[in-house]
Amino acid sequence: MAEHPVLVTGATGKSGRRVVARLRAAGLPVRAAARTGEHPFDWHDRGTWDAALEGVRSAYVVQLDGTKLVRPFVELAVRHGVRRVVLASGRGIDDPDYVRDGGGVLEGLLDSEAAVRGSGLEWTISRPGWFAQNFSEGFFADAVRAGELRLPAGEGAASFVDAEDIAAVVVAALTEDRHAGQVYELSGPRAVTLAEAVATISGATGRDIRYVPLSAEDYIAELGGQGVPRADAEVLADVVEPLGKGADEYVSDGVWRALGRPPRTFAEFAASTAAAGGWPA
């Protein structure tokens, strides 16, 4: 498939841009598709889909949360001659008690998985848990840089997975034949509490960073004081809730199965990110 470009949707996101970098480092042609960047692609503008799929034989599909757009996209991909698809999904989607889902995210993920399974394509599903990079370029990053992470997660822990491992698994699935029909749940090698996580980042950066557990109501109230509408604040509290329940403490074997090596530790993530200037003062 090397003569055809590999399509990467969400190419500017945490996993997508790392997948693009790894494919290019391997000398493979890549079509980096996103709303902004090299190749314009918008899930809400179906007029951008054909150009993204033209000449493609393999694709990494990073879906838009709360939508069921993967199904028509995969149907179009089949008509374009795509042969292999790797879908970005998530851990916990088959657990109805995992999280309250007012936005339809889990319903959309389940529909997307069903769509690729029934597509007739060679498919692989990536189900990562909480990204370690949420502390450096995502959900928690601003608070970590400010020195205090305040969340309604109690003493909960998660087996945070490094996005570099996610990208490595995706690239293997895109370029090797042995991953068809596999669902890879991805996690780090052990669960880390939020207090341990910020302490590890403190040690790597030499900065004082604290974790402060809040009640859900206090968290929602604090966000409201920052101008966040209550409905949005409640959604964010729901997203964090699985951490407090310990729903993501368990360790998955996907990195081992896909790559034949252990996943990177949270300490390795923190050290490499700090060395690269990931938490500027």
Side-chain angles (χ1 to χ4, degrees):
M1 299 184 186
E3 69 274 18
H4 299 280
V6 179
L7 173 63
V8 178
T9 68
T12 58
K14 292 185 191 70
S15 67
R17 72 171 186 273
R18 289 174 169 86
V19 170
V20 168
R22 286 174 177 268
L23 289 169
R24 287 182 171 158
L28 297 172
V30 180
R31 182 170 296 154
R35 289 180 62 188
T36 59
E38 298 175 21
H39 190 96
F41 176 82
D42 188 337
W43 278 110
H44 287 306
D45 181 2
R46 299 197 186 194
T48 66
W49 292 11
D50 283 294
L53 289 164
E54 183 65 33
V56 165
R57 295 295 177 267
S58 57
Y60 178 43
V61 177
V62 180
Q63 56 197 300
L64 186 63
D65 285 347
T67 69
K68 294 184 179 180
L69 294 169
V70 166
R71 184 173 295 276
F73 184 76
V74 168
E75 291 170 354
L76 183 62
V78 171
R79 295 198 292 274
H80 271 275
V82 173
R83 300 171 187 167
R84 178 176 296 171
V85 62
V86 180
L87 176 70
S89 188
R91 285 206 318 175
I93 72 165
D94 48 4
D95 177 2
D97 298 322
Y98 178 73
V99 67
R100 288 188 292 271
D101 183 33
V105 173
L106 298 185
E107 184 180 350
L109 292 172
L110 287 167
D111 187 70
S112 298
E113 289 201 6
V116 300
R117 291 172 191 267
S119 66
L121 301 175
E122 297 176 23
W123 59 264
T124 307
I125 295 171
S126 165
R127 284 184 174 182
W130 279 84
F131 286 41
Q133 277 73 12
N134 280 317
F135 291 89
S136 59
E137 55 191 76
F139 195 14
F140 310 145
D142 288 344
V144 170
R145 292 189 186 98
E148 190 170 85
L149 179 62
R150 302 169 65 84
L151 291 171
E155 301 306 315
S159 53
F160 296 102
V161 60
D162 194 316
E164 293 293 348
D165 283 340
I166 299 169
V169 170
V170 169
V171 169
L174 286 168
T175 59
E176 300 171 359
D177 294 333
R178 63 186 183 88
H179 304 283
Q182 295 296 315
V183 177
Y184 290 127
E185 280 210 351
L186 308 176
S187 78
R190 75 174 186 90
V192 177
T193 68
L194 289 167
E196 288 176 309
V198 297
T200 301
I201 295 169
S202 292
T205 60
R207 297 175 51 209
D208 182 22
I209 306 168
R210 296 193 309 142
Y211 165 60
V212 179
L214 301 175
S215 69
E217 255 327 298
D218 285 345
Y219 178 69
I220 291 167
E222 285 195 4
L223 291 179
Q226 298 166 21
V228 178
R230 182 173 179 88
D232 293 342
E234 289 175 346
V235 169
L236 291 172
D238 287 347
V239 169
V240 176
E241 182 185 26
L243 288 175
K245 295 191 303 183
D248 280 291
E249 289 186 12
Y250 69 99
V251 173
S252 299
D253 65 355
V255 174
W256 269 110
R257 289 197 296 116
L259 304 177
R261 64 161 176 82
R264 298 217 309 169
T265 66
F266 192 88
E268 289 173 317
F269 151 74
S272 63
T273 301
W279 289 289

